[in-house]
Each structure stands twice: as structure tokens, then as C-alpha cells.
């Protein structure tokens, strides 16, 4: 275990793998979401313009799945809450996930760079609302009254992820960059480890079920289920404080 300066911030990138043991599907595992439906049909602005009903059906099903009582935060989410509570230098979670499991576990400092499934956004005026119900083209925006423009507050392929300037700033300063449960296929998140290496300040660790595309860029790697790996790694980190 490398020695991390306890006064430095820890930046944690999470992907779909951290939610797998909570019962949510990943994208690129053999039984993943993209093995059942094409990105071009449901996760691009063009798809929404071409067939908004199909796109709403896709996200309505995922929203209902997320709100299922059987879907709960798992020990990996809980370990990150403990780390945020006990690490002197502070912790920021930058998640690619659109679920709310980090928040439901108790994490406070969370950036959803790909948006949030339990929020809607008006394509007309940009108004963002909480959304725990099915969306459809009939719905009117609560702010501008326009119908047909409400979409999930989710970043689609071809769109810019959220808060990238803030994310780049914290990566430059991080004493530790932890990447958990992501395959390293999608930029800019897949490039975060190179940003950390470029500034040369942070130790980088990959905790994943198997090596990601960017595995060789990490100073340290550990493989196994997040529900086992993350609590163990957090315990080691906090013991060394
Ligand atoms: N514990 C840890 N890692 C796991 C587990 C587990 N229990 N189960 C699966 N994984 C790993 C897989 O080995 C894989 O490397 O999680 C990773 C999931 O990779 P993807 O399915 O590609 O998901 P992700 O990396 O989050 O995708 C990034 O792509 O489709 C877009 O916007 C979507 O945010 C998503 C982005």
C-alpha cells in the first residue's frame, strides 16, 4: 500500500461495475445493456429526435429498475461513505453512473458527469427537475410549459459530460485517484488516469473485476468484486492515516 498524504484529496471515479452487486446491469459485460440494445437507437441526441418514444421507453424501464426496492447500495458504496467521513484531505466521487446509489449510501461530495436518471431536463429551456416517474412526449415542462421536450437529464454519446473543468482541476491536485468498476472504454473518464499522471502528484489505483482498457496506466491494480475490494482498500487507507 503506497503512502498517501492524508491532507491530500482523494478523487474516486466510479463506473457501472460498482453498482453491479446492487443488481444494476453494466454496459459492456457479456450480458450488459449494450448487448441488448444499440447505443444509436437510445443514447444519442439523434435517437431522441428520431424516436423519442423509444428513448423514453428505454430510460423509463431503467428508472423503474433503479426504484425497485431490491436495488440498494452495496458494501462498496458504503466503504466510500466511510472514506469520505474519515479521510482528512476530503473525498470527491466523480461517477459515470446515472443511478443514485452513492447518495443513498450517504456520500455527499458526488459529481454525476453523465447526468442522473432520477432527473429530467427540458430540451427547450434547460429546466432540471427531480423525476421518479415515467417520462413521455406528452409531458409539459414545469418551467416553460413546452410539451415534447422533456428528456432524461442524462449525457448522451456526442454530448459533453458535466463539470469537466472542475473535474480536471481536482484531478491535477489529487493525492490519490481511485478508479472503480469501469472498463475504461469511454472518454473523457477513461483519460482521467493520464491527467493524474501528467500532473505527477497523485497515486493511481484501479479496483475492478478485470483489467480495464487503461489498466497499464495505473500505478497499482487490484481485481475482484467491488463489494469485497473497496471495503478492504478503504480499511488499509484509513489504517495508514
Ligand atoms: N465489481 C467490480 N467491477 C465490476 C463488477 C463488480 N462486481 N462487475 C463488473 N465490473 C466491471 C467490468 O469488468 C467492467 O470493466 O465494471 C466495468 C463495467 O464497464 P462498462 O460496462 O463499460 O461500464 P462503464 O465503464 O461504467 O461505462 C462507461 O459508457 O455506455 C456509457 O454512459 C455509459 O457511463 C457509461 C460509460
Amino acid at each position: 500500500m503506497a503512502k498517501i498524504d492524508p491532507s491530500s484529496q482523494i478523487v474516486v471515479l466510479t463506473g457501472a461495475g460498482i453498482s453491479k452487486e446492487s443488481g444494476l446491469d453494466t454496459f459492456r459485460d457479456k450480458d450488459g445493456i449494450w448487448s441488448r440494445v444499440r447505443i444509436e437507437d437510445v443514447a444519442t441526441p439523434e435517437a431522441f429526435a428520431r424516436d423519442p418514444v423509444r428513448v423514453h421507453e428505454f430510460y423509463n424501464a431503467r428508472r423503474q429498475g433503479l426504484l425497485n426496492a431490491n436495488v440498494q447500495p452495496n458494501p462498496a458504496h458504503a466503504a466510500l461513505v466511510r472514506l469520505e467521513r474519515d479521510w482528512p484531505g476530503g473525498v470527491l466521487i466523480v461517477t459515470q453512473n446515472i443511478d443514485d446509489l452513492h447518495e443513498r449510501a450517504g456520500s455527499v461530495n458526488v459529481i454525476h458527469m453523465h447526468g442522473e436518471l432520477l432527473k429530467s431536463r427540458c430540451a427547450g429551456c434547460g429546466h432540471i427537475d427531480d423525476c421518479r416517474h415515467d417520462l413521455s412526449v406528452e409531458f409539459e415542462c414545469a418551467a416553460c410549459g413546452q410539451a415534447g421536450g422533456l428528456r432524461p437529464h442524462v449525457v448522451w454519446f456526442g454530448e459533453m459530460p458535466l463539470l469537466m473543468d472542475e473535474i480536471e482541476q481536482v484531478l491535477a491536485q489529487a493525492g490519490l485517484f481511485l478508479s472503480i468498476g469501469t472498463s475504461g472504454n469511454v472518454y473523457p473518464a477513461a483519460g482521467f488516469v493520464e491527467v493524474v499522471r501528467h500532473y505527477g502528484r497523485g497515486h493511481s489505483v484501479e479496483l475492478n473485476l478485470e483489467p480495464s482498457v487503461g489498466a497499464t496506466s495505473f500505478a497499482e491494480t487490484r481485481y475482484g468484486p467491488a463489494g469485497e475490494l473497496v471495503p478492504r482498500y478503504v480499511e488499509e487507507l484509513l489504517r495508514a492515516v
Side-chain angles (χ1 to χ4, degrees):
M1 158 74 71
K3 181 69 182 145
I4 312 297
D5 172 2
S7 68
S8 69
Q9 186 179 42
I10 297 176
V11 178
V12 186
L13 171 68
T14 62
I18 199 170
S19 299
K20 176 77 171 171
E21 291 158 77
S22 295
L24 294 181
D25 286 338
T26 61
F27 292 95
R28 295 172 184 82
D29 287 330
K30 65 180 177 357
D31 56 350
I33 292 171
W34 299 143
S35 71
R36 300 195 297 271
V37 64
R38 287 173 5 110
I39 289 171
E40 298 76 9
D41 292 339
V42 296
T44 66
E46 295 76 16
F48 188 63
R50 182 174 62 245
D51 189 350
V53 172
R54 172 87 190 272
V55 172
H56 279 313
E57 283 171 355
F58 174 67
Y59 286 97
N60 289 343
R62 290 182 64 195
R63 188 181 301 103
Q64 287 164 22
L66 173 58
L67 293 173
N68 182 306
N70 297 324
V71 174
Q72 295 296 331
N74 66 59
H77 297 104
L80 294 181
V81 176
R82 179 186 174 206
L83 185 64
E84 182 178 24
R85 188 188 63 220
D86 297 344
W87 182 259
V91 174
L92 171 67
I93 294 174
V94 178
T95 186
Q96 300 173 92
N97 301 337
I98 59 176
D99 65 56
D100 64 338
L101 294 176
H102 284 302
E103 291 86 349
R104 280 165 54 192
S107 289
V108 175
N109 209 7
V110 181
I111 289 179
H112 283 269
M113 64 180 289
H114 290 169
E116 298 177 68
L117 186 54
L118 300 184
K119 289 188 177 162
S120 63
R121 173 161 31 102
C122 176
C125 72
H127 178 70
I128 295 171
D129 246 337
D130 288 334
C131 176
R132 304 175 77 83
H133 53 73
D134 284 1
L135 281 178
S136 82
V137 291
E138 282 79 44
F139 275 68
E140 293 178 2
C141 170
C144 72
Q146 178 190 335
L150 281 189
R151 56 175 278 183
H153 179 47
V154 170
V155 177
W156 285 326
F157 285 87
E159 296 181 324
M160 260 311 276
L162 308 174
L163 297 170
M164 283 308 299
D165 292 342
E166 181 181 346
I167 292 169
E168 173 120 9
Q169 281 171 21
V170 295
L171 289 172
Q173 298 298 321
L176 171 62
F177 173 64
L178 262 184
S179 179
I180 304 172
T182 181
S183 64
N185 274 292
V186 176
Y187 284 81
F192 288 176
V193 62
E194 291 304 332
V195 173
V196 173
R197 286 170 60 131
H198 168 75
Y199 287 98
R201 188 172 167 205
H203 181 57
S204 55
V205 178
E206 171 171 89
L207 304 179
N208 208 52
L209 193 62
E210 59 198 8
S212 71
V213 171
T216 54
S217 298
F218 288 86
E220 184 181 351
T221 57
R222 300 188 184 188
Y223 297 114
E228 292 168 23
L229 276 189
V230 181
R232 193 177 314 137
Y233 188 77
V234 166
E235 174 60 32
E236 288 179 31
L237 265 181
L238 294 176
R239 205 180 310 129
V241 171

